[in-house]
Amino acid sequence: AAGVIQSPRHLIKEKRETATLKCYPIPRHDTVYWYQQGPGQDPQFLISFYEKMQSDKGSIPDRFSAQQFSDYHSELNMSSLELGDSALYFCASSLGTGGEQFFGPGTRLTVL
Amino acid sequence: QKEVEQDPGPLSVPEGAIVSLNCTYSNSAFQYFMWYRQYSRKGPELLMYTYSSGNKEDGRFTAQVDKSSKYISLFIRDSQPSDSATYLCAMSAGGGNKLTFGTGTQLKVEL
């Protein structure tokens, strides 16, 4: 079965640079969630979208923004990167607002 | 204090053992409870998804939820070396709401 696709899988950036992470949900899933997982930590919720509208917002820095497009894929834009932004970034998708969340393989961001 | 508490382990058991993993939580609004398995540097894989109190069984896995005690458990029967991973409990207040995770329990099943 098709799963959540994330790209790129690995990304290395310098401080103060920008990064764009992409997420392609499971076909027919209309809800996307972004999570950040630091080393040895549990995933922390950043933001979610349902039917292309922001549905919830967590501990997402103002330097980050995200959107969901008409084909339901989502992009997380990160600017003025800091060393502390180095983490695994996961995207999850669900069908509507009542379903299980299925996670992608993650994007490993390293900020040097 | 975190909303969801989980013993980080590590937990080491022999192959074939029954494993019990637990989480406690403080937010009474949580209604949906999940268990994810995460291998190193991989995405969390959904194992069990339950709503409100009760038990749910799927193969070697059984999930239990006791909302009155704010306590959830995952039992793994006949544990295998391939079960070695980090197990994360997660919960949400609504079906499409953000997940709040426990810190994860690292499990090692030894031959």
Side-chain angles (χ1 to χ4, degrees):
Chain A
V4 177
I5 297 172
Q6 291 188 246
S7 68
R9 294 294 309 279
H10 303 274
L11 192 57
I12 299 176
K13 291 286 184 179
E14 299 277 345
K15 278 172 51 179
R16 292 179 289 278
E17 284 191 323
T18 62
T20 297
L21 279 54
K22 297 185 178 182
C23 169
Y24 298 86
I26 292 171
R28 296 192 301 114
H29 281 196
D30 51 11
T31 308
V32 169
Y33 311 80
W34 286 96
Y35 293 84
Q36 177 192 59
Q37 187 176 30
Q41 298 182 0
D42 53 291
Q44 295 293 314
F45 172 75
L46 293 177
I47 196 167
S48 62
F49 293 87
Y50 168 63
E51 282 290 345
K52 293 153 279 185
M53 298 286 289
Q54 180 181 308
S55 53
D56 198 0
K57 192 173 182 179
S59 51
I60 183 170
D62 292 339
R63 300 177 288 108
F64 295 5
S65 65
Q67 57 181 323
Q68 185 180 31
F69 295 85
S70 58
D71 63 351
Y72 297 109
H73 94 272
S74 178
E75 294 183 3
L76 177 66
N77 298 293
M78 310 161 72
S79 63
S80 303
L81 287 169
E82 302 174 356
L83 296 177
D85 296 329
S86 295
L88 266 170
Y89 289 83
F90 291 109
C91 171
S93 75
S94 69
L95 179 60
T97 57
E100 304 100 308
Q101 293 184 28
F102 296 93
F103 281 72
T107 293
R108 179 170 295 279
L109 173 66
T110 302
V111 182
L112 302 176
Chain B
Q1 186 180 359
K2 287 175 67 72
E3 279 187 292
V4 181
E5 298 282 355
Q6 185 176 5
D7 187 339
L11 179 62
S12 184
V13 301
E15 184 179 9
I18 297 175
V19 176
S20 172
L21 304 168
N22 312 293
C23 287
T24 59
Y25 62 95
S26 57
N27 188 345
S28 57
F30 288 144
Q31 299 281 346
Y32 294 84
F33 305 90
M34 289 133 274
W35 286 94
Y36 285 85
R37 177 173 62 194
Q38 186 174 28
Y39 294 108
S40 180
R41 300 187 170 214
K42 303 291 185 183
E45 173 192 2
L46 182 63
L47 289 176
M48 301 292 279
Y49 178 85
T50 55
Y51 170 71
S52 196
S53 287
N55 295 355
K56 183 175 182 179
E57 186 174 323
D58 184 0
R60 296 185 295 114
F61 300 93
T62 299
Q64 290 185 350
V65 175
D66 182 349
K67 288 189 66 182
S68 62
S69 302
K70 295 189 177 66
Y71 186 87
I72 69 171
S73 300
L74 177 71
F75 297 95
I76 307 174
R77 292 182 298 281
D78 188 24
S79 56
Q80 303 294 311
S82 59
D83 294 329
S84 299
T86 296
Y87 290 79
L88 295 151
C89 64
M91 43 199 82
S92 69
N97 289 16
K98 65 183 180 184
L99 298 181
T100 300
F101 284 86
T103 50
T105 298
Q106 187 177 347
L107 171 67
K108 184 173 183 180
V109 181
E110 302 192 36
L111 289 168

